[in-house]
Amino acid sequence: MDVVQESSTFPSITKDAKVLLDMLLVKVNSVVITARAMNMHSELIELKRFVVRKRDATLSHEVAEMLKLACYDAERVIDKYEIWSLQNQLLPSSTSSKVRGLIFSGRLNPFAYRNRMCLEIRKLIKKLDKIGEKIELVGLDFTDNNIAQPRFASTHTTRFTYYSLVVGRDSTDNDIAQASFASIHTPVSLPCSGVVGRDIDRDTVIEALLKSGNEATLFVYPIVGVEGIGKTTLAKLVYNDPRIVSQFQLRLWVRVSRVFNVEEVLEQIVNSVREDLLCEKLDMNELKNLVHETFYGKNYLIVFDDVWNEDPMKWDELKKLLMVGACGSKILVTTRKKEVASIMGTVPAYCLKGLLREDSLTLFLNMAFELDQEVLYPQLVDIAQMIARNCEGNPLFLMIVGSSLRNKTKRREWNIVKNHSGWNSNQNDEISSALRVSYEQLSSNLKVCLAYCSIFPKGCVIEIDKLIQLWVAEGLISKSNESEDLEHVAIQHFRELLSRSFFQDVEEYRSVYTSICTMHDLVHDLALSAAGVEFCTVNSHIQNISDEVRHVAFSDYDLSGKELPTSLVSNQALRTISFSIDGLGPTSTMFVENCIARFMQLRVLNISDSCFGELPSSVGELKYLRYLDVSSNGSIKELPDSINKLLGLQTLRVSHCPQLEGLPKDIGNLISLRHLYITTKQACFPDKTIGCLSSLRSLCIHSCNNLVSLSEGLQHLTSLRTLAIIGCPRLTFFPSAMKHLTALENLLIIDCKELTLLEWQDIEGLRMLRSLVIGGLPELESKDVHCFGSLQMLVLAGLPGLVTLPRWLEGASATLQYLRVERCLNFAALPKWLENLTALEKLEISKCRKSFSLPEGMSCLTNLKVLKIDN
């Protein structure tokens, strides 16, 4: 995205008056609370007169602009009050005069501050009065004891059968405890039962792959089709078909990025077959050798998914490296470009067409209703036929539009979709009619969250926990009551968008320790249009950047220099700076200093993959900063003390910084910090560093090669929901303080080769775990204990000593829903007592070399929906 042009037929969130009004109502509500807290009685009365509902009327462009400006003003009031409150909260406990001086220099006294806030709120009230004059509004009574909270979020809970993002909690629970490492129990390979109308296509492709014989040349078969037609889905059907599984010794799936990089493709291939969990970075020669070793003399199938490369020289380079397998090896390619198919294919491409009308209706109804429930609503099936016809056989459109009607059983609701003006929109518009109609069915809060996803590059893999944290940091999430976690609301939003197929390809704990998803290119185009001019990707070709831009992602911009783009430097309202391409970050400290000096309103600063040696101390002046990512910097040795001034910081990512000596001494001043990802050279964490961060919800300790012990200060992290300890080879034991982590629900222990988990099941703090991931340990102690009565997800990976399932797992027989065992080379048997795991819904065993038979009692697992065993 260079510069987004506003569409006259598709209003972005910055031009959509309804979205803006919904956003403003939430912010005004927060200002009301601020006014009451500061005893601003006259201002409170004025604010109470503002309304929380509007009549269904078309609001003009002029009103939309007024609403947008009022949103900014309200947000400034909220932010200033939040910072002032945090300063007052920290003041009594801050004992360091140096830190007190850093934080509170120039701080206004309460009376002067109150007067200044009064002026800010009065300016806002004047704007609200003007808005009230422009649109017809209905008042709602505010009382001092119970101010109405207009929820900028849908409380609707979908019945669509997706698993809870928060392991072990039903989506309707109000007391959901949050895991920042979000997990959705969705299999990596698409269940074939969910695919409609592709049996003939599947059999045709399989016949071509099996019939082609054992040619000496590498056989490459392309599948070509338009966006959303189901090329990847068809390839998955072929890839998982028993006829293919039995034919090839080795099968690999490679998702190809838009920029075709041979080294990255080789890296994907190598990492998919390596047995170690945390794969070290290899150079090109090492990759070539391992690829040769992997394929030499073997009959293999590789799927290259979503290829865009039109450079035959790059393909020839890769193909030569792959031509070491046995005769009969095959490559299946999916692409939307006929030019790619002609370059890569050794036979004519298979052109995938849309679904037949009957299959289209079946898929649409599958998405709109629970199993077989459509027979209860014959009047809706008639409407469904007309809607499905508008989707023109495109499975993506059918899924998105169909899921937008799920749980809606009133004829009027279906007619709104059928008769939507979006179906008659200009066919030359970049956004398809089906996506336009489905987008309009979203609530305002979901539209805003979807639009924000445009900041990610098209086709990239999105880390779910990072997305959740960004939504919260940008202020896109609001809650209906004070006891509710913002992350909880954000996860509900993600789940809702996922259920409507705006996200896809969810993989749980990919590479064991993180969960990811993707966004279809067409949906990304939709997000771009919804984002409008406030979002911009800056590259070397861009000339003019709108002064309305609030969120910037740098792409291939020349970062070796010190200058910012000329048209950006005067934009003092910028909220986000991010580097959107993996491996591309700022190379100059001066560049970062310029960003900090120019953009004092930043909420998000993502300067990961950088190579500067020092983070400027001026970062402490970004008082509104909520998200800071300095990860994957191989040079930085310390963080400046001034970082302790960032009282509103919620997320700090400094993982994969191998030279980092440690955290600043007074890091405990970050009283808002909820998520910390860290790599340091320390042998132990001082009790007064991490242990002082009492607001932490998630803590990830990653690749700390010198770490011998965890801090006893962990006992103070009573709100901690997720603890991940990854790649700490010298860590030998858990501290006794673990027993105090009574809120802990998600524990990940990966590649800690000296860690002995003796007696670990007796740690009180672990008894309420919902999800547990254990990988890369020398052995796993097993005792006949039944301490995990709440466990719902277990992943065991890279455990050479694991022969069968640990006996303590039987203690979770009534709760365990998802079990995965992978890369456990000596795993040889499933125990007879597996039949007692009656809640089990998915069982996956992969890359475990020894063969075994399933126990006789498998028929007792009546809830089992997915059984996946490979290798």
Side-chain angles (χ1 to χ4, degrees):
M1 133 183 86
D2 290 351
V3 179
V4 176
Q5 300 296 328
E6 294 283 358
S7 168
S8 58
T9 59
F10 187 87
S12 69
I13 55 173
T14 60
K15 305 294 183 184
D16 189 327
K18 182 183 183 304
V19 172
L20 291 167
L21 181 57
D22 287 343
M23 294 169 64
L24 179 59
L25 293 175
V26 173
K27 296 181 189 304
V28 168
N29 201 26
S30 295
V31 176
V32 168
I33 297 172
T34 299
R36 176 186 292 118
M38 303 192 74
N39 295 317
M40 298 178 181
H41 298 294
S42 60
E43 288 79 7
L44 183 60
I45 292 171
E46 292 294 323
L47 286 167
K48 285 180 180 179
R49 290 175 182 168
F50 196 68
V51 295
V52 297
R53 290 179 185 167
K54 70 176 184 65
R55 295 193 190 277
D56 291 328
T58 301
L59 303 179
S60 67
H61 174 76
E62 179 188 3
V63 172
E65 190 65 22
M66 293 171 67
L67 289 168
K68 183 172 70 172
L69 295 175
C71 278
Y72 293 150
D73 288 347
E75 198 165 68
R76 274 193 291 272
V77 172
I78 296 166
D79 287 342
K80 288 179 180 179
Y81 178 71
E82 179 183 332
I83 296 300
W84 188 79
S85 298
L86 290 170
Q87 289 174 343
N88 281 285
Q89 181 181 339
L90 184 62
L91 187 60
S93 60
S94 180
T95 57
S96 168
S97 59
K98 179 181 178 182
V99 172
R100 286 161 64 103
L102 278 172
I103 295 176
F104 304 113
S105 57
R107 178 174 172 267
L108 292 171
N109 65 57
F111 300 106
Y113 180 79
R114 183 182 181 280
N115 289 336
R116 179 170 291 185
M117 289 299 292
C118 278
L119 291 174
E120 295 273 359
I121 292 177
R122 285 170 186 163
K123 287 180 183 177
L124 174 63
I125 290 171
K126 287 183 179 179
K127 288 192 175 182
L128 298 180
D129 287 341
K130 289 182 179 179
I131 292 172
E133 294 170 1
K134 291 286 184 182
I135 53 181
E136 187 178 11
L137 300 164
V138 178
L140 187 72
D141 180 46
F142 284 110
T143 65
D144 283 344
N145 294 326
N146 184 27
I147 290 184
Q149 297 270 351
R151 178 86 184 249
F152 182 48
S154 170
T155 56
H156 163 73
T157 302
T158 180
R159 286 159 48 206
F160 196 67
T161 313
Y162 281 99
Y163 296 89
S164 174
L165 262 162
V166 181
V167 178
R169 298 295 185 95
D170 188 85
S171 58
T172 60
D173 288 350
N174 291 325
D175 63 338
I176 289 183
Q178 295 312 303
S180 68
F181 288 80
S183 89
I184 299 181
H185 297 177
T186 305
V188 174
S189 57
L190 185 70
C192 296
S193 59
V195 180
V196 174
R198 291 304 188 196
D199 291 352
I200 294 176
D201 300 297
R202 177 200 60 206
D203 291 342
T204 302
V205 174
I206 289 175
E207 181 181 0
L209 292 174
L210 299 182
K211 186 180 179 181
S212 57
N214 296 322
E215 295 91 346
T217 57
L218 192 58
F219 181 87
V220 183
Y221 192 25
I223 299 175
V224 178
V226 299
E227 295 173 299
I229 206 68
K231 302 180 293 295
T232 298
T233 299
L234 174 59
K236 287 180 179 178
L237 283 174
V238 172
Y239 185 82
N240 291 316
D241 191 277
R243 291 167 289 180
I244 293 295
V245 173
S246 62
Q247 175 71 18
F248 296 98
Q249 293 173 272
L250 181 63
R251 293 175 303 129
L252 294 176
W253 185 284
V254 179
R255 180 178 173 83
V256 183
S257 63
R258 285 193 163 224
V259 180
F260 191 88
N261 184 299
V262 174
E263 186 172 353
E264 288 181 2
V265 173
L266 295 180
E267 193 172 292
Q268 271 201 67
I269 291 172
V270 168
N271 288 344
S272 65
V273 297
R274 289 173 71 177
E275 294 169 357
D276 44 334
L277 299 179
L278 301 180
C279 301
E280 295 180 0
K281 184 76 174 177
L282 303 174
D283 63 32
M284 189 62 167
N285 287 330
E286 291 173 315
L287 289 171
K288 288 180 179 180
N289 291 335
L290 283 170
V291 166
H292 185 276
E293 181 183 320
T294 297
F295 292 119
Y296 185 74
K298 292 179 182 175
N299 183 26
Y300 66 79
L301 169 70
I302 302 178
V303 177
F304 289 123
D305 184 35
D306 196 21
V307 181
W308 287 75
N309 172 58
E310 296 183 39
D311 185 345
M313 294 181 65
K314 289 184 178 179
W315 167 237
D316 288 342
E317 180 185 357
L318 177 61
K319 183 170 66 173
K320 288 176 183 177
L321 298 173
L322 300 176
M323 294 181 66
V324 295
C327 292
S329 294
K330 308 288 166 51
I331 290 177
L332 187 62
V333 176
T334 70
T335 180
R336 68 190 63 171
K337 309 191 76 170
K338 293 180 180 179
E339 295 83 359
V340 173
S342 65
I343 290 170
M344 297 182 68
T346 58
V347 293
Y350 184 77
C351 296
L352 188 61
K353 305 297 183 182
L355 296 177
L356 299 176
R357 182 170 295 183
E358 182 178 344
D359 292 328
S360 295
L361 179 61
T362 299
L363 178 58
F364 185 90
L365 294 175
N366 286 352
M367 301 303 295
F369 292 101
E370 300 286 355
L371 183 63
D372 298 329
Q373 291 297 298
E374 63 271 17
V375 296
L376 302 177
Y377 305 96
Q379 75 280 10
L380 299 183
V381 174
D382 293 338
I383 301 174
Q385 290 178 333
M386 290 179 274
I387 299 175
R389 199 172 302 155
N390 288 333
C391 295
E392 300 177 337
N394 188 299
L396 178 67
F397 298 162
L398 290 160
M399 292 171 64
I400 290 179
V401 180
S403 59
S404 73
L405 289 167
R406 202 169 185 89
N407 299 326
K408 295 181 180 180
T409 57
K410 295 180 180 178
R411 189 181 184 92
R412 177 180 60 82
E413 296 171 315
W414 284 59
N415 277 326
I416 288 175
V417 173
K418 185 194 77 170
N419 300 322
H420 196 285
S421 60
W423 295 116
N424 302 317
S425 63
N426 186 354
Q427 294 300 311
N428 295 324
D429 203 318
E430 293 182 359
I431 307 304
S432 74
S433 298
L435 291 180
R436 181 191 303 270
V437 171
S438 299
Y439 172 81
E440 291 298 334
Q441 307 310 306
L442 295 176
S443 57
S444 295
N445 58 306
L446 293 179
K447 287 180 180 179
V448 172
C449 288
L450 180 66
Y452 187 81
C453 295
S454 64
I455 202 165
F456 295 102
K458 183 179 288 190
C460 81
V461 171
I462 301 172
E463 292 183 33
I464 297 173
D465 59 317
K466 181 179 290 188
L467 175 62
I468 297 299
Q469 291 159 16
L470 286 170
W471 279 348
V472 173
E474 297 283 11
L476 308 184
I477 308 297
S478 63
K479 53 187 180 180
S480 58
N481 58 73
E482 285 303 310
S483 62
E484 195 172 29
D485 272 347
L486 289 171
E487 288 90 349
H488 170 209
V489 180
I491 287 173
Q492 285 183 321
H493 293 359
F494 178 87
R495 188 189 302 121
E496 180 71 15
L497 289 169
L498 173 65
S499 73
R500 293 169 180 255
S501 301
F502 288 108
F503 292 112
Q504 61 183 24
D505 295 336
V506 171
E507 295 184 21
E508 185 175 43
Y509 290 116
R510 186 193 191 199
S511 299
V512 182
Y513 60 89
T514 188
S515 298
I516 57 96
C517 67
T518 62
M519 177 176 277
H520 195 281
D521 285 355
L522 288 175
V523 178
H524 192 273
D525 290 339
L526 172 68
L528 282 175
S529 293
V533 296
E534 286 203 354
F535 289 75
C536 179
T537 293
V538 178
N539 56 47
S540 56
H541 307 294
I542 197 165
Q543 299 296 324
N544 298 312
I545 302 174
S546 168
D547 57 6
E548 295 183 60
V549 166
R550 294 294 182 269
H551 310 277
V552 166
F554 287 98
S555 180
D556 63 345
Y557 186 72
D558 180 10
L559 304 177
S560 59
K562 301 176 183 179
E563 298 300 323
L564 290 164
T566 305
S567 55
L568 188 64
V569 293
S570 59
N571 188 336
Q572 297 182 3
L574 208 63
R575 302 296 184 88
T576 304
I577 288 181
S578 178
F579 289 82
S580 57
I581 306 297
D582 286 343
L584 174 67
T587 59
S588 163
T589 302
M590 184 62 71
F591 181 89
V592 179
E593 287 180 346
N594 284 339
C595 287
I596 294 171
R598 297 281 185 179
F599 313 126
M600 299 299 292
Q601 303 293 319
L602 284 177
R603 266 67 170 170
V604 169
L605 179 58
N606 178 359
I607 46 177
S608 58
D609 292 300
S610 52
C611 57
F612 53 78
E614 183 179 354
L615 182 65
S617 61
S618 55
V619 72
E621 301 304 316
L622 300 176
K623 59 183 179 180
Y624 301 117
L625 196 66
R626 294 171 182 167
Y627 182 101
L628 176 60
D629 189 345
V630 199
S631 58
S632 300
N633 182 318
S635 303
I636 193 167
K637 294 183 178 180
E638 62 180 6
L639 299 176
D641 288 338
S642 62
I643 204 171
N644 300 326
K645 297 168 63 177
L646 302 176
L647 302 187
L649 193 66
Q650 299 167 349
T651 300
L652 176 59
R653 290 174 173 260
V654 285
S655 60
H656 302 286
C657 297
Q659 301 304 316
L660 190 66
E661 299 288 349
L663 294 172
K665 182 179 62 174
D666 292 306
I667 195 73
N669 288 332
L670 300 183
I671 53 180
S672 300
L673 197 65
R674 300 166 72 87
H675 311 287
L676 175 61
Y677 301 72
I678 181 172
T679 299
T680 81
K681 297 171 69 174
Q682 292 170 293
C684 61
F685 296 124
D687 291 347
K688 292 186 178 181
T689 53
I690 291 179
C692 296
L693 300 170
S694 57
S695 295
L696 274 187
R697 298 300 195 272
S698 62
L699 172 60
C700 177
I701 302 169
H702 201 302
S703 302
C704 296
N705 294 326
N706 299 324
L707 189 66
V708 176
S709 63
L710 299 176
S711 169
E712 289 291 338
L714 285 176
Q715 63 184 305
H716 302 298
L717 305 184
T718 54
S719 297
L720 196 67
R721 306 287 193 261
T722 296
L723 175 62
I725 307 169
I726 303 169
C728 300
R730 299 182 62 189
L731 186 65
T732 57
F733 66 92
F734 282 151
S736 59
M738 290 282 287
K739 66 184 179 183
H740 298 288
L741 302 182
T742 53
L744 194 66
E745 294 199 334
N746 308 278
L747 177 63
L748 298 88
I749 311 168
I750 301 164
D751 257 19
C752 300
K753 301 186 183 304
E754 298 297 322
L755 184 62
T756 301
L757 297 183
L758 186 64
E759 307 295 336
W760 71 294
Q761 296 97 332
D762 298 327
I763 298 177
E764 184 68 29
L766 305 184
R767 297 192 175 225
M768 295 305 294
L769 284 180
R770 307 285 177 173
S771 64
L772 176 62
V773 178
I774 301 176
L777 304 187
E779 57 182 327
L780 183 63
E781 295 290 338
S782 180
K783 298 167 55 180
D784 291 336
V785 293
H786 298 268
C787 61
F788 291 114
S790 301
L791 192 67
Q792 296 204 356
M793 192 206 76
L794 175 65
V795 176
L796 301 172
L799 303 173
L802 188 70
V803 177
T804 187
L805 296 178
R807 188 75 195 212
W808 48 258
L809 185 57
E810 196 173 3
S813 59
T815 59
L816 191 71
Q817 298 176 12
Y818 177 55
L819 172 61
R820 187 166 99 224
V821 181
E822 69 172 70
R823 307 186 195 218
C824 297
L825 303 185
N826 293 306
F827 188 80
L830 288 169
K832 185 180 184 305
W833 53 260
L834 183 72
E835 65 188 43
N836 298 330
L837 304 181
T838 53
L840 194 64
E841 297 182 359
K842 291 191 297 181
L843 173 61
E844 299 181 5
I845 302 173
S846 65
K847 300 180 182 177
C848 299
R849 293 180 179 176
K850 295 195 174 181
S851 60
F852 55 86
S853 58
L854 297 174
E856 294 180 0
M858 287 289 291
S859 59
C860 298
L861 303 180
T862 55
N863 287 313
L864 193 67
K865 297 181 177 69
V866 175
L867 174 62
K868 178 186 174 185
I869 301 174
D870 63 35
N871 287 9

